[in-house]
């Protein structure tokens, strides 16, 4: 497929009107003065449209009624993210009791698309807890952190604030 007249975000962080040949990935980029654009029937005119690389959301607790702690159908969340240009994202937990966090990590780690998991809490400063459950905040525990890493198949990232 050829995407014609697209405003493409280039490596110099500027938009340039280009034609792209795509399949599973971008296979070729044509400048406006290129004469070697293949004659393909499958052409989409993107005049007035922008083409950007897929985004990466490093901190998302959920979307479309689904949250990282208790989701039932990960594909709904994943598909929503994809439809909005987010190709990779780190589901982010909230402070919870040990069993709640372990359950969330086990489920998230089973999803092929999950490349990392943010654990927000449970080792937070109670004075700066925001919306986190104060009763579930606790001092950092190395053994528990190891369990979290094990249950997340090494995908978990634990900030201590």
């Amino acid at each position: 497929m050829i995407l014609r007249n697209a405003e493409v975000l280039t490596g110099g962080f500027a938009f340039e009107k280009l034609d792209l040949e795509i399949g599973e990935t971008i296979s070729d980029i044509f400048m406006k003065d290129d004469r070697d654009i293949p004659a393909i029937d499958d052409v989409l005119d993107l005049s007035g449209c922008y083409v950007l690389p897929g985004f990466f959301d490093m901190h998302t607790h959920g979307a479309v009624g689904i949250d990282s702690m208790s989701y039932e159908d990960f594909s709904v969340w994943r598909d929503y993210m994809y439809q909005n240009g987010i190709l990779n994202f780190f589901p982010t937990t909230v402070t919870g009791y040990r069993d709640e966090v372990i359950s969330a990590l086990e489920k998230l780690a089973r999803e092929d698309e999950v490349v990392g998991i943010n654990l927000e809490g449970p080792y937070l400063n109670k004075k700066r807890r925001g919306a986190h459950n104060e009763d579930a905040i606790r001092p950092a525990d190395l053994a528990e952190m190891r369990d979290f890493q094990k249950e997340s198949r090494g995908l978990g990232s634990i900030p201590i604030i």
Side-chain angles (χ1 to χ4, degrees):
M1 170 181 266
I2 300 286
L3 304 178
R4 290 211 188 273
N5 303 311
E7 293 289 339
V8 179
L9 184 63
T10 65
F13 294 101
F15 285 99
E16 188 174 342
K17 189 173 275 196
L18 301 170
D19 294 334
L20 305 172
E21 183 176 9
I22 64 167
E24 288 286 318
T25 61
I26 296 172
S27 53
D28 212 340
I29 299 173
F30 305 99
M31 309 302 281
K32 280 295 152 197
D33 56 355
D34 278 346
R35 303 288 179 241
D36 297 333
I37 299 174
I40 294 178
D41 291 334
D42 199 6
V43 175
L44 181 61
D45 184 1
L46 292 182
S47 295
C49 297
Y50 293 89
V51 175
L52 294 92
F55 294 109
F56 179 48
D57 189 337
M58 293 178 54
H59 186 114
T60 176
H61 292 282
V64 291
I66 297 173
D67 72 84
S68 61
M69 297 297 286
S70 60
Y71 73 89
E72 292 300 320
D73 188 352
F74 184 79
S75 67
V76 172
W77 183 8
R78 178 205 60 221
D79 291 349
Y80 172 81
M81 299 299 265
Y82 288 173
Q83 290 163 5
N84 286 280
I86 301 166
L87 300 185
N88 288 299
F89 61 99
F90 279 16
T92 304
T93 64
V94 295
T95 295
Y97 297 104
R98 178 184 170 80
D99 291 345
E100 293 172 315
V101 175
I102 294 280
S103 174
L105 293 174
E106 287 173 337
K107 288 194 298 186
L108 290 167
R110 285 194 299 258
E111 303 294 346
D112 290 336
E113 296 89 351
V114 173
V115 296
I117 303 167
N118 266 329
L119 283 95
E120 189 173 351
Y123 317 124
L124 302 173
N125 180 335
K126 286 186 179 187
K127 293 177 185 172
R128 291 181 166 71
R129 68 182 173 84
H132 291 267
N133 177 357
E134 185 174 6
D135 295 334
I137 295 173
R138 52 198 176 273
D141 179 325
L142 187 56
E144 185 177 57
M145 284 186 217
R146 286 185 179 126
D147 289 343
F148 288 167
Q149 279 297 92
K150 178 182 170 213
E151 298 306 329
S152 70
R153 294 185 346 212
L155 298 174
S157 168
I158 304 171
I160 300 175
I161 302 171

